[in-house]
C-alpha cells in the first residue's frame, strides 16, 4: 500500500482543483486502495514556485502545478507550461503531446530534474479582464495590465502594451483605482468566480492569448519504484481528467458568458485575422525562447512542426 | 505518527517551549523540523529552508518594513507630538478624546494598508507614547492601539480577504464590499467602549483640562496637523486615484515622510540611521516569528492536517448553523496558536465547500473568517498584534502586559462576530446594493 | 546590565544592511514616476524591491539573534531560580540549533545547486534571486546557530542582567 503526497496551487473549489481531487479519487478506486494520492490544494505546504523542486528533492512526492512555474530551470519548460497564443483548444495540445513528439521530449526534460511527467490536462483558453474595451489587436496598444512575469509580458510588450509586474492579489484594488486597466487570471468562468468582472467590464472570449498546461508529475525514484500496473493506473486517471476538464471548462465558460452578458460585461470575440496576427507576434517570442537551451529548441521545433501539420501555422 | 498525534505534539510542544521562555521562532521551527524528520525522513527536512526562502521572497511583506520605517521617522520627528498636542487641544474637552482620535486614525490607516502589523507599529510608535504622556490608562491605550491597528485587514484593502478569495474562489471585490460595514461596525464598537470606559472610570483617561483647549496655537497647527493631513491625503490619493498599488503606496509614504521631516528642518543622517536600525530590528523580531510559524504550518499540512480538520467536521450529526458555529470555534481556537495564513490554508479548502453545500454564502463566511482573524491577532500566546507592538514598545511594557490589555477588545470582536452570524445582512447588504 | 548598545544607537556593521530600505523606497518612487508620469512601467522595479527586501529580511534575523532579542514569553522564566533558567536556556539553545541547523544543513544541497547553476527567477527581467538568496539563507542560518551558542555561553548564570532577551 503506497501513499503519495501531491500539491497543487489550485484551490479545492476551482475547476482544476476539483479535477485533481478527482484524479486522487480515481487512483484510489482504480488501484483498489493499493495506491493513495493525497492532493494538497492552494499550495498548503510549499510555495507554488517551489513545488516542483520540493517533489524532486523528496519533500513532497508529486507536483500538480504547471511547468510555467519552473521556466527558470530550463526554458524548455515554457513549451510544456504555456505555448502562448499557439493552440486553440485542448485537443490540439493533447495531439501535440501524444503524437507530435511532446511525450519523448518531456521524458528527457523532466527526468533530468529527477521528475516524471505522468500526464497533462488543459482547460479552455484564458480570457483577459479589462476596464477598457479590447475589441481587437489595436486595443492592446498602450493597454496597461498586470501580467504574469515571463513570456506573456514579452509578447504583449511587442504589441505595444505596458505589462505591469505586481502580485495578483493587488489586481482588484489596482483595477478599480486605475493603476492598471486589466489583468490576466484564468478562464472566463474562473475569472468571473474571482470577481475580475466586478472590477473590469470587458473581456476577451473565446480566449486566444494563453492556455496553461497543467502537469501531473511525480518524483522519478518514486515512479520507478511503482509496479507497472500502478503506473498504468496513474496514467489512466490523468487521461480521464484530461478528457473531462475541457468539456467542463467549456460548459462553465458558456454559462459564465451568458451571466456576464446579462450583468453588462462586454465580451470581445477577436476576428480570425487579429488572432492570426497575435499568433505571428507570439511566434517571434517562442523563437527567441527556443534559443535559450537545447531542449527548448527541440520543444519549439516539435510545436511548430505540429502546428503546421494541423494547419495553425503555414 | 498519526495526524492526531502530530497535532497533539505540535500543540503541547509549542505551548511547553513557549512557557519556559524559548523564543517563539525557535520553538515553532525546531518542533517543525523534528516532526518532519520523524514523519518523512531526512529529505523532507529541507522544507524549513524552502519555506523561509519562499516567505522572504513574498512581495506583500515589503509594506511591513515600509510602515515601520515611516513610523520610526515620525516618532523621531516632533511631528507626532505637535499633531497630538493640536488634537488634544481640540478634543481635550472630551474625556478620552485622544484615544478616540487614535481609533479614527486607525480606520483611515486601515483604508490605506492591507496587512497586519504596519499600522500597529505606526500607532505604537506615534500614538501610544502620546497617550501615555497624557496619562491615559496604559492598558486602555495598548488595547486601542492593538485592536485599532488590526483593522488593517478588516477594512478593505485586506490581504486576509484577498487570500481567502483566491483559496475559496470567491470574488475579492465582493469580499471587500462586504467587509466595509462590519469593519466600520467593529471600529464603532471600539469607539463606544473607549468612550464608555473613559466616562465610567476616572483613571482611564485624563480629565478634560480647560487650559489645554485655549492653547491651540497656530504654529503647531501648521507644523503638526497640516503635514499629517497632507501625508494621509497623498497616500489615499495614490491608492484610490490609481497612481500606485497598495504596497507601493507604503514606499511613497516613507519618501513623503522624509520630505516632511526635511521641510520641518529636523532631518539628519543620524535620525535616518536610527529609524532604519529600528526598522531592521522590528523586522527581525516579527518576521522570524512568522518564518518559524510558517515552517510549522507547512509541516502540519504535509502531515495531513487538512484530513484531521475534515474529520473534526464531518460525521457530526449537527444542524447547518451549529456547523458554522463549530467552524468559528475552530478558527478562534486555532487563532491562539497559529498565524492567519496557516489557519486559512488548513481550513478554508475544506470548510468552504461544506458552507456552499449547506446553502450559505461564501462571501458572508469570508467576513466571519476575517472577524475571527481579528480575534486571533490579539489572542495569546500567538498574538501577532501583541508581537508587533512589543517590537517597538518601550521595554517596561512586557508581552504579558500587552496581552492583559487586550481581552476587552476580544470580547467586542466576539460580540461583532455573533451579530454577523445572526444578521448576515450586515455584511451582504452593501455588495448587493453596489455590485 | 546588558553591554549591548540601545537599539537605536547601534551603528555597528551589522546595521548597515538597514540602508537597503532606503534603496527600496527609491526604486518604488522610480517605478511610480516612470509608470504614472511617463507611462513606461519598468519590468525590474518590482522584482528589485523583492530581491532587496528579502536580503534585509534574512539579515534582520541574524541581527536579532546577535542582540538576543527574539520574541519570548518570560513569565515562568523570570520566576525561576538561576539554575533552572540555565536549563531553560539550554532548551532554547537546542531549539535554535535544531531550527537554524536544519535550515543550513538540509537547505545546503539545493542552495548549492541554485548557486552553481546560477538559477534565475524566470521572469522577463530574470534576476538571480534563487541563486543568491538560497545560499544566503544557508549562510545566515548557520551564523544564527553559531550566535545562539555564543549567547548561551555569554549569559551569566546569575543576576537579571543575564536576561537580555526577555521582552
Ligand atoms: Na485595509
Ligand atoms: Na492569536
Amino acid at each position: 500500500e503506497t501513499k503519495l503526497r501531491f500539491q497543487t496551487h489550485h484551490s479545492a473549489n476551482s475547476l482544476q482543483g476539483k479535477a485533481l481531487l478527482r484524479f486522487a479519487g480515481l487512483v484510489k478506486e482504480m488501484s483498489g486502495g493499493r495506491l493513495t494520492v493525497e492532493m494538497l490544494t492552494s499550495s498548503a505546504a510549499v510555495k507554488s514556485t517551489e513545488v516542483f523542486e520540493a517533489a524532486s528533492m523528496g519533500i513532497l512526492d508529486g507536483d500538480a502545478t504547471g511547468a510555467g512555474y519552473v521556466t527558470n530551470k530550463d526554458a524548455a519548460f515554457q513549451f510544456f507550461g504555456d505555448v502562448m497564443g499557439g493552440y486553440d483548444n485542448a485537443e490540439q495540445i493533447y495531439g501535440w503531446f501524444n503524437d507530435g513528439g511532446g511525450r519523448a521530449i518531456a521524458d528527457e526534460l523532466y527526468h533530468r530534474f529527477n521528475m516524471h511527467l505522468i500526464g497533462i490536462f488543459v482547460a479552455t483558453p484564458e480570457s483577459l479582464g479589462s476596464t477598457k474595451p479590447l475589441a481587437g489587436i489595436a486595443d492592446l496598444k498602450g493597454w496597461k495590465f498586470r501580467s504574469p512575469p515571463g513570456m506573456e509580458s514579452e509578447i504583449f510588450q511587442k504589441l505595444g502594451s505596458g505589462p505591469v509586474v505586481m502580485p495578483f492579489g493587488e489586481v482588484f484594488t489596482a483595477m478599480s483605482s486605475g493603476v492598471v486597466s486589466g489583468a490576466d487570471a484564468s478562464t472566463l468562468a474562473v475569472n468571473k468566480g474571482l470577481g475580475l468582472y466586478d472590477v473590469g467590464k470587458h473581456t476577451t472570449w473565446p480566449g486566444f492569448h494563453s492556455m496553461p498546461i497543467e502537469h501531473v508529475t511525480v518524483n522519478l525514484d518514486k515512479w520507478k519504484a511503482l509496479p507497472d500496473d500502478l503506473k498504468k493506473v496513474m496514467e489512466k486517471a490523468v487521461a480521464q481528467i484530461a478528457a473531462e476538464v475541457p468539456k467542463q471548462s467549456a460548459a462553465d465558460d458558456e454559462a459564465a458568458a451568458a451571466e456576464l452578458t446579462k450583468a453588462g460585461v462586454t465580451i470581445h470575440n477577436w476576428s480570425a485575422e487579429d488572432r492570426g496576427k497575435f499568433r505571428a507576434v507570439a511566434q517571434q517570442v517562442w523563437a527567441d525562447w527556443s534559443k535559450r537551451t537545447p531542449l527548448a529548441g527541440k520543444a519549439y521545433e516539435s510545436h511548430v512542426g505540429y502546428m503546421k501539420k494541423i494547419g495553425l501555422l503555414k | 505518527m498519526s495526524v492526531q498525534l502530530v497535532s497533539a505534539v505540535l500543540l503541547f510542544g509549542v505551548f511547553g517551549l513557549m512557557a519556559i521562555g524559548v523564543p517563539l521562532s525557535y520553538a515553532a521551527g525546531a518542533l517543525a523540523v523534528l516532526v518532519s524528520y520523524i514523519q518523512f525522513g531526512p529529505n523532507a527536512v529541507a522544507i524549513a529552508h524552502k519555506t523561509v526562502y519562499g516567505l522572504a521572497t513574498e512581495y506583500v511583506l515589503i509594506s511591513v518594513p515600509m510602515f515601520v520605517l515611516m513610523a520610526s521617522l515620525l516618532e523621531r520627528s516632533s511631528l507626532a507630538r505637535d499633531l497630538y498636542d493640536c488634537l488634544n487641544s481640540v478634543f481635550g474637552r472630551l474625556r478620552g478624546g485622544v484615544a478616540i482620535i487614535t481609533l479614527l486614525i486607525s480606520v483611515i490607516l486601515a483604508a490605506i494598508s492591507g496587512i497586519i502589523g504596519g499600522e500597529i507599529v505606526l500607532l505604537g510608535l506615534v500614538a501610544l507614547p502620546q497617550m501615555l504622556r497624557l496619562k491615559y490608562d496604559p492598558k486602555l491605550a495598548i488595547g486601542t492601539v492593538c485592536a485599532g491597528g488590526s483593522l488593517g485587514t478588516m477594512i478593505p484593502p485586506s490581504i486576509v480577504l484577498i487570500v481567502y478569495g483566491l483559496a475559496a474562489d470567491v470574488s475579492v471585490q465582493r469580499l471587500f464590499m462586504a467587509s466595509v460595514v462590519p469593519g466600520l461596525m467593529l471600529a464603532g464598537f471600539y469607539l463606544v467602549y473607549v468612550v464608555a470606559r473613559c466616562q465610567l472610570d476616572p483613571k482611564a483617561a485624563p480629565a478634560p483640562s480647560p487650559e489645554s483647549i485655549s492653547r491651540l496655537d497656530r504654529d503647531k497647527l501648521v507644523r503638526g496637523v497640516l503635514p499629517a493631513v497632507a501625508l494621509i491625503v497623498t497616500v489615499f490619493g495614490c491608492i484610490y486615484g490609481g497612481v500606485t498599488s497598495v504596497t507601493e503606496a507604503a514606499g511613497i509614504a516613507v519618501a513623503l515622510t522624509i520630505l516632511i521631516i526635511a521641510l520641518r528642518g529636523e532631518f539628519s543622517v543620524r535620525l535616518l540611521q536610527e529609524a532604519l536600525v529600528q526598522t531592521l530590528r522590528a523586522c527581525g523580531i516579527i518576521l522570524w516569528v512568522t518564518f518559524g510559524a510558517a515552517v510549522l504550518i507547512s509541516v502540519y499540512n504535509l502531515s495531513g492536517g487538512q484530513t484531521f480538520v475534515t474529520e473534526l467536521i464531518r460525521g457530526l450529526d449537527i444542524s447547518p448553523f451549529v456547523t458554522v458555529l463549530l467552524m468559528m470555534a475552530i478558527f478562534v481556537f486555532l487563532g491562539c496558536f497559529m498565524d492567519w495564513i496557516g489557519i486559512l490554508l488548513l481550513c478554508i479548502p475544506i470548510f468552504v465547500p461544506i458552507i456552499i453545500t449547506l446553502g450559505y454564502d461564501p462571501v458572508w463566511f469570508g467576513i466571519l473568517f476575517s472577524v475571527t482573524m481579528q480575534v486571533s491577532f490579539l489572542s495569546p500566546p500567538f498574538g501577532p498584534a501583541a508581537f508587533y507592538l512589543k517590537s517597538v514598545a518601550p521595554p517596561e511594557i512586557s508581552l504579558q502586559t500587552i496581552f492583559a490589555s487586550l481581552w476587552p477588545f476580544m470580547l467586542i470582536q466576539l460580540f461583532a462576530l455573533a451579530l454577523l452570524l445572526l444578521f448576515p445582512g450586515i455584511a451582504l447588504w452593501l455588495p448587493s446594493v453596489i455590485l | 546590565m546588558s553591554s549591548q548598545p540601545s537599539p537605536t544607537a547601534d551603528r555597528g556593521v551589522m546595521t548597515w544592511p538597514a540602508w537597503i530600505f532606503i534603496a527600496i523606497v527609491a526604486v518604488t518612487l522610480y517605478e511610480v514616476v516612470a509608470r504614472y508620469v511617463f507611462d513606461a512601467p519598468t519590468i525590474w522595479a518590482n522584482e528589485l524591491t523583492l530581491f532587496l527586501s528579502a536580503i534585509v529580511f534574512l539579515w534582520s534575523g541574524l541581527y536579532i539573534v546577535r542582540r538576543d532579542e527574539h520574541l519570548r514569553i518570560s513569565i515562568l522564566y523570570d520566576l525561576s531560580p538561576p539554575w533552572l533558567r540555565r536549563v531553560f536556556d539550554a532548551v532554547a539553545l537546542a531549539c535554535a540549533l535544531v531550527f537554524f541547523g536544519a535550515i543550513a544543513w538540509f537547505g545546503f544541497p539545493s542552495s548549492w545547486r541554485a548557486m552553481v547553476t546560477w538559477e534565475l527567477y524566470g521572469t522577463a527581467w530574470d534576476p538571480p534571486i534563487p541563486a543568491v538568496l538560497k545560499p544566503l539563507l544557508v549562510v545566515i542560518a548557520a551564523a544564527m546557530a553559531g550566535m545562539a551558542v555564543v549567547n548561551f555561553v555569554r549569559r551569566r548564570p546569575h543576576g537579571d542582567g543575564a536576561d537580555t532577551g526577555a521582552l
Side-chain angles (χ1 to χ4, degrees), chain B residues 332 334-338 375-384 403:
Chain B
V332 172
L334 291 178
C336 295
F337 315 100
M338 279 163 67
V375 183
S376 83
F377 294 154
L378 307 189
S379 63
F382 192 90
F403 280 127

Side-chain angles (χ1 to χ4, degrees), chain B residues 368-385:
Chain B
L368 295 177
F369 176 74
S370 184
V371 175
T372 58
M373 291 306 102
Q374 292 286 303
V375 183
S376 83
F377 294 154
L378 307 189
S379 63
F382 192 90

Side-chain angles (χ1 to χ4, degrees), chain B residues 134-146:
Chain B
L134 296 167
K135 297 281 178 284
Y136 273 76
D137 172 35
K139 288 193 172 171
L140 183 68
I142 290 169
T144 305
V145 164
C146 285

Side-chain angles (χ1 to χ4, degrees), chain B residues 309-310 313 327 330-331 347-356 365:
Chain B
V309 176
T310 313
I313 288 284
M327 289 174 178
I330 291 175
F331 289 155
C347 297
I348 294 306
I350 297 155
F351 287 3
V352 168
I354 298 175
I355 284 296
I356 294 172
F365 192 70

Side-chain angles (χ1 to χ4, degrees), chain B residues 110-111 113-114 151-153 155-158:
Chain B
S113 87
L151 290 170
T153 65
I155 290 169
S158 155

